[in-house]
């Protein structure tokens, strides 16, 4: 099959605190958290560029104990918004 039938849509226009809480609740239920290396391979972006984007808040990411983690559902949503939302800044 195609994994679970649950579709998770994340609204990214939230405060950092809201995003962190949302990601914590999402990732508590599913192990879809990616490391910097995994996310950079997944997105085909260098890890250095990805880390800069995370620090600047340009991509959904959570810093846990000084290490960046990237929730896969949020990355998928971000990719969609990049592909179809070029006009909105």
């Amino acid at each position: 099959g195609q994994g679970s039938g649950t579709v998770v849509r994340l609204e990214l226009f939230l405060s950092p605190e809201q995003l962190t809480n949302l990601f914590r609740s999402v990732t508590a239920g599913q192990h879809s958290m990616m490391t910097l290396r995994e996310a950079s391979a997944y997105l085909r972006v260098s890890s250095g560029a990805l880390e800069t984007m995370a620090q600047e808040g340009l991509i959904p990411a959570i810093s846990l104990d000084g290490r960046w983690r990237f929730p896969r559902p949020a990355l998928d949503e971000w990719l969609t918004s990049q592909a179809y939302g070029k006009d909105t800044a």
Side-chain angles (χ1 to χ4, degrees):
Q2 297 179 339
S4 83
T6 304
V7 174
V8 177
R9 268 194 77 79
L10 297 180
E11 178 61 65
L12 297 180
F13 301 101
L14 299 172
S15 73
E17 295 88 349
Q18 288 173 312
L19 280 174
T20 299
N21 290 336
L22 178 60
F23 290 159
R24 282 194 181 130
S25 64
V26 166
T27 56
Q30 56 183 324
H31 295 285
S32 58
M33 192 70 83
M34 304 175 90
T35 64
L36 181 65
R37 183 181 296 170
E38 290 168 341
S40 68
Y42 182 63
L43 298 173
R44 290 182 161 81
V45 175
S46 76
S47 57
L50 187 58
E51 190 169 14
T52 299
M53 292 166 69
Q55 289 168 347
E56 294 179 357
L58 300 176
I59 192 165
I62 306 168
S63 180
L64 297 173
D65 298 324
R67 297 181 184 201
W68 287 105
R69 293 292 181 266
F70 301 84
R72 189 192 297 260
L75 290 183
D76 290 337
E77 182 74 15
W78 180 82
L79 282 171
T80 300
S81 71
Q82 295 301 298
Y84 300 108
K86 294 278 187 208
D87 296 336
T88 59

